[in-house]
Amino acid sequence: MSPINVAKFGGTSVANAAAMNNCAEVVLANPATRVVVLSASAGVTNLLVALAQGDLDEAGQEAQLARLTEIQQAILTELGDPGDLSDLIHGQLGEIRTMARQAHLHTDAELADRLIACGELMSTRLFTELLRQRGVKACWQDARQLLRTDSRFGKASVDLAATRALCQAALGPLLGDSLIITQGFIGADGDGRTTTLGRGGSDYSAALLAEALDAGTIEIWTDVPGIYTTDPRLVTRARPIPEISFVEAAEMATFGAKVLHPATLQPAVRQDIPVFVGSSKDPAAGGTWIRASTRTNPLFRAVALRRNQVLVTLHSLNMFHAYGFLAEVFGILARHRISVDLITTSEVSVSLTLDHTGSQSNGEPILGDKVLAELGQLCKVQVETGLALVALIGNRMSEAAGVGSQVFDAIREHNIRMICYGASAHNLCFLVKEDEAGHIVNRLHQELLD
Ligand code: ADP
Ligand code: ASP
Ligand code: MG
C-alpha cells in the first residue's frame, strides 16, 4: 500500500453539520486519506473544562450542559436523529452530568480527563454517521486503544513505542478497507485510564498517529488557509506563507501561533513527513506546506505572539560567584515539571519566563503555591504578570548584521522587559507589556514583513 495521509480537523471545522460536510468533501478529495482525526466541536472543550473545574453549583452545571446538548443535538437533528446514535450521544451527555456532579471533581485529575475527553468522543461518532450517510465505509475507532501515554492527567506524555505497536496492530488490517475516524487530544495510560495531551492537542495526536503508521503526509484542516505571517486576527495585512521549514514552523508554534500545537512537528520531523495546513471551509484557497527544507529562506518570515506570560525574577545575594544556585532553581522547577522558556542572568538575579505552551487541559495554573514556597526558601521571588512574548521568526538571524536595530527601531517607543537572541538562528524573542503587544506586532509586521 502506498503511504497514507492522516487528516486532522479542528473544532470550527466540526462545529456543526454544514462544517462537517465540508470536512467530508476534503476527506473524499484525497484518496490517500485513510485516517481522520477530529477535535471536539467548537466550544465543547471549553464547556467541559468549565464543568471539570468543579466550582459550579447545580444550576451553573445545568446551564453548561444545556449548551453542550444544544451543540450536539443540532448535528444529530441534521443527521435525522438516528435512534442508536441519538441514544449514544444522550448517554454520553448523561455520563457528563454524573461526572460533573462529583464533589471531588476539582481535585481528581483522572476524573477531569475522563470528562474533558467526551467532546472528541461525541464529534467523532457524529462525523462517522455523516460519512456513512454519504455512502462512505467509515469505521469509528477509540483513540484510547491507539495512543498510549503516561498517567499525567491533563498533559500526558506519549509512549512512542507502545503507540506504534498499538496503531499498527489495530489499524494495519483496516487501512485498506475502511476510513478510520478517531479522536485527537485523548489517549490512555497503561491501565486503560483516559488521559489528555493538553489544550489544542489534536494536531499533535494526528502527527503521532501519522508517525506510528509511517504516513506519507499529514493535513491539518482549520479555519484559515494556512500559516500566516502572523495571526490574521491581529494583523489584517497578514498573508499565508506557501512553504515554511519544520524549524521555523516549530518556532512559530512554540511561540504562540495557535494554528499548530507546539509539539505537532516533533513526529513529523522524526520521520520527515510533510505537513499541509489549510482551511476546511475553503480548500481551494490552498495553504502552507511545512517541510524539512524550503526553496526560499528569508531573514524575516513571521511574527508570533504569546500572551499571558509570567516573568519570575529570583534575587539571591549568594548567587555572586556561587556554584549550584541555578541547578537548585532548575531542580525545583523540574520536580514540578515546569519547563523554562527564556532566561537572562545578572550578578545577583536571574529572570525566567515559564512555558505555558500545551498547557494543562484542566486549566490548572503552572506556577502553584508549592513551587513558589520552595523557591522562596532559596531566594527572594518576584512574579510579574500582564506580559506577552513576541517572537520574530526567520533564518540566519543571528548571523546577519543590523537585525537588532531593524527590529527595535520599529518599536522604539515601547519598553522591552527582556530579550533573548542568539540561542537559535531562527528567532529573536522579547517580552513586552501585554496591552502594547497588539500594536508591537502590527508595527513589526508593517516594517519587516509587509
Ligand atoms: P483548530 O480548532 O482548527 O485547531 P485553532 O483555533 O487552534 O484551530 O487555530 C487556528 C487559529 O490560529 C486561527 O483562527 C488564527 O486566529 C490562529 N493563528 C495564530 N497565529 C496564526 C498564524 N501565524 N497563522 C494562522 N493562524 C494563526
Ligand atoms: N478539543 C481540544 C481543545 O479544545 C483539543 C483540540 O481542539 O485540539 O483543546
Ligand atoms: Mg488548534
Side-chain angles (χ1 to χ4, degrees):
M1 205 170 118
S2 48
I4 64 157
N5 175 50
V6 174
K8 176 260 169 178
F9 295 89
T12 41
S13 300
V14 294
N16 51 48
M20 282 187 175
N21 264 313
N22 293 336
C23 300
E25 299 290 340
V26 169
V27 168
L28 298 176
N30 184 353
T33 304
R34 306 308 308 153
V35 177
V36 175
V37 176
L38 301 187
S39 292
S41 300
V44 165
T45 308
N46 286 350
L47 291 168
L48 294 171
V49 168
L51 286 171
Q53 279 166 344
D55 47 13
L56 296 172
D57 59 15
E58 227 174 275
Q61 291 173 8
E62 286 306 315
Q64 302 290 99
L65 283 160
R67 287 171 62 198
L68 263 179
T69 307
E70 202 182 310
I71 297 171
Q72 308 303 334
Q73 184 58 51
I75 307 175
L76 270 174
T77 305
E78 286 292 318
L79 293 173
D81 235 333
D84 288 357
L85 181 65
S86 195
D87 290 350
L88 204 142
I89 298 289
H90 286 283
Q92 191 99 60
L93 290 163
E95 279 176 40
I96 294 172
R97 173 177 284 107
T98 309
M99 288 188 269
R101 291 281 194 268
Q102 310 279 311
H104 60 283
L105 182 56
H106 66 291
T107 55
D108 187 341
E110 180 193 341
L111 182 59
D113 264 6
R114 225 183 319 138
L115 196 162
I116 294 168
C118 292
E120 271 71 8
L121 291 170
M122 293 191 286
S123 65
T124 46
R125 289 285 188 193
L126 293 161
F127 188 62
T128 307
E129 172 64 19
L130 182 139
L131 285 173
R132 286 186 186 150
Q133 291 190 4
R134 293 179 60 137
V136 179
K137 194 166 173 198
C139 169
W140 183 87
Q141 168 71 45
D142 191 329
R144 293 170 294 187
Q145 288 161 6
L146 303 176
L147 220 122
R148 172 66 57 80
T149 71
D150 63 9
S151 309
R152 219 184 128 216
F153 302 102
K155 195 180 175 186
S157 298
V158 178
D159 177 337
L160 297 177
T163 297
R164 183 176 187 82
L166 288 168
C167 286
Q168 298 260 344
L171 302 186
L174 290 176
L175 285 177
D177 186 48
S178 53
L179 193 59
I180 315 290
I181 314 301
T182 194
Q183 308 80 43
F185 182 54
I186 74 173
D189 69 4
D191 296 325
R193 296 177 299 178
T194 304
T195 54
T196 59
L197 301 180
R199 293 305 305 267
S202 296
D203 304 324
Y204 184 33
S205 297
L208 287 163
L209 297 183
E211 178 182 35
L213 294 168
D214 298 320
T217 47
I218 301 165
E219 291 173 353
I220 304 287
W221 294 98
T222 179
D223 58 357
V224 281
I227 300 183
Y228 278 57
T229 45
T230 194
D231 188 343
R233 288 188 207 189
L234 202 63
V235 179
T236 42
R237 291 172 60 86
R239 54 179 200 284
I241 302 167
E243 204 188 28
I244 188 169
S245 67
F246 281 142
V247 214
E248 290 169 282
E251 296 273 3
M252 284 186 75
T254 302
F255 288 112
K258 193 185 166 223
V259 62
L260 285 181
H261 179 278
T264 312
L265 293 170
Q266 291 168 9
V269 168
R270 282 195 293 264
Q271 290 218 3
D272 197 8
I273 311 173
V275 181
F276 177 80
V277 180
S279 161
S280 63
K281 217 171 37 188
D282 189 9
T288 302
W289 275 104
I290 314 171
R291 309 177 199 276
S293 62
T294 51
R295 272 162 298 197
T296 59
N297 298 291
L299 180 61
F300 300 121
R301 178 89 82 181
V303 192
L305 173 66
R306 216 162 74 187
R307 295 186 184 277
N308 194 18
Q309 296 301 287
V310 179
L311 178 68
V312 183
T313 304
L314 308 167
H315 305 273
S316 165
L317 289 175
N318 301 332
M319 189 175 154
F320 184 54
H321 284 173
Y323 299 102
F325 174 74
L326 281 181
E328 282 193 62
V329 169
F330 278 91
I332 294 171
L333 294 172
R335 270 200 305 288
H336 291 273
R337 306 193 66 157
I338 295 172
S339 92
V340 171
D341 242 4
L342 305 185
I343 174 160
T344 56
T345 62
S346 83
E347 255 176 30
V348 290
S349 56
V350 45
S351 288
L352 28 100
T353 66
L354 304 180
D355 186 2
H356 268 274
T357 50
S359 59
Q360 308 236 83
S361 306
N362 51 17
E364 288 280 307
I366 55 167
L367 195 68
D369 292 343
K370 268 202 197 138
V371 199
L372 286 173
E374 280 183 48
L375 290 171
Q377 303 267 306
L378 199 65
C379 53
K380 189 169 148 261
V381 184
Q382 183 192 347
V383 178
E384 285 171 66
T385 53
L387 296 165
L389 181 66
V390 177
L392 198 62
I393 316 289
N395 293 282
R396 307 181 73 153
M397 290 168 67
S398 50
E399 294 164 33
V403 168
S405 68
Q406 264 182 285
V407 173
F408 296 116
D409 245 21
I411 52 168
R412 59 184 162 275
E413 69 269 30
H414 294 280
N415 170 237
I416 313 278
R417 186 62 191 80
M418 176 182 184
I419 301 175
C420 272
Y421 180 46
S424 157
H426 296 283
N427 78 46
L428 187 172
C429 310
F430 48 92
L431 270 185
V432 296
K433 285 205 189 97
E434 174 129 35
D435 52 9
E436 296 177 14
H439 182 250
I440 288 174
V441 171
N442 269 281
R443 282 289 304 145
L444 288 173
H445 197 277
Q446 189 182 351
E447 288 300 315
L448 309 174
L449 293 160
D450 257 3

